[in-house]
């Protein structure tokens, strides 16, 4: 019921042709390789992957089962539906993440320090009902602000300055 081409020698199977077509029994393209160098892969009559002089074009979605490594160049994600990342993204020291048409928001780590930079015409806004700044271990509060409530500054996990509905409470000496 099957037909085979079998090359069992020590070399490879070489097919010399101008353009190369692999078609199904309905004469629909499955693979088309041009003598100019482009190779096109099809799914159900639609081109899904094309090699070009500049690289590869993928038409449609792409699922990667493991890591994606890009050596050089940028990664541009687009589309009207957006996308969802379900795992972490790792950046080497000095490799910034940028947002905005003018790269107005940048998050970067230079090997020693970490930066969040907003350089556009607006402000850097953080919206939350409670904001805490913790030590690296997450065991000590350094700053805390609550919606419609107090703003507290801490020293060694002890409140030293707290805003209240009537003013400010200071614990310890005010120098």
């Amino acid at each position: 019921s099957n037909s085979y081409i079998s090359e069992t020698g020590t070399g490879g199977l070489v097919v010399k042709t101008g353009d190369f077509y692999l078609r199904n029994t309905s004469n629909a393209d499955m693979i088309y390789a041009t003598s100019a160098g482009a190779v096109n892969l099809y799914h159900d009559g639609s081109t899904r992957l094309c090699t070009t002089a500049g690289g590869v074009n993928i038409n449609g979605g792409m699922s990667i089962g493991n890591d994606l490594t890009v050596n050089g160049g940028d990664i541009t994600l687009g589309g009207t539906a957006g996308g969802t990342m379900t795992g972490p993204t790792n950046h080497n020291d000095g490799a910034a993440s940028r947002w905005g048409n003018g790269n107005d928001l940048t998050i970067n780590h230079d090997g020693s320090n970490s930066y969040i930079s907003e350089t556009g015409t607006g402000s850097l806004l953080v919206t939350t009902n409670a904001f805490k700044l913790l030590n690296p271990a997450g065991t000590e509060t350094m700053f805390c602000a609550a919606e419609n409530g107090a703003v507290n500054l801490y020293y060694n996990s002890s409140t030293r300055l707290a805003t209240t509905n009537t003013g400010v409470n200071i614990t310890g000496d005010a120098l």
Side-chain angles (χ1 to χ4, degrees):
S1 62
N2 295 313
S3 300
Y4 297 92
I5 297 174
S6 178
E7 194 291 311
T8 60
T10 59
L13 175 66
V14 177
V15 176
K16 289 186 177 185
T17 184
D19 290 352
F20 175 80
Y21 298 86
L22 180 61
R23 293 183 170 146
N24 66 15
T25 56
S26 300
N27 207 33
D29 288 338
M30 297 184 323
I31 299 173
Y32 170 51
T34 70
S35 57
V39 176
N40 301 313
L41 302 179
Y42 295 83
H43 177 81
D44 198 21
S46 297
T47 306
R48 293 297 174 213
L49 186 136
C50 306
T51 63
T52 67
V56 175
N57 290 336
I58 297 173
N59 301 310
M62 183 174 73
S63 176
I64 299 171
N66 290 309
D67 295 340
L68 170 65
T69 301
V70 177
N71 295 316
D74 294 330
I75 297 175
T76 302
L77 303 174
T80 57
T84 301
M85 294 193 150
T86 58
T89 59
N90 298 313
H91 297 74
N92 289 332
D93 290 343
S97 291
R98 295 185 178 96
W99 288 268
N101 291 341
N103 295 325
D104 301 339
L105 175 64
T106 302
I107 298 176
N108 186 32
H109 179 75
D110 66 9
S112 298
N113 298 300
S114 299
Y115 304 90
I116 299 175
S117 303
E118 195 292 314
T119 59
T121 57
S123 299
L124 177 64
L125 305 174
V126 178
T127 59
T128 181
N129 58 1
F131 182 81
K132 287 187 177 185
L133 185 61
L134 306 173
N135 69 338
T139 58
E140 183 177 314
T141 302
M142 300 184 306
F143 173 88
C144 180
E147 180 181 21
N148 300 318
V151 174
N152 297 319
L153 297 177
Y154 297 83
Y155 179 83
N156 200 21
S157 288
S158 295
T159 304
R160 295 298 179 208
L161 185 138
T163 63
T164 68
N165 63 342
T166 59
V168 176
N169 288 338
I170 297 175
T171 303
D173 297 332
L175 303 176

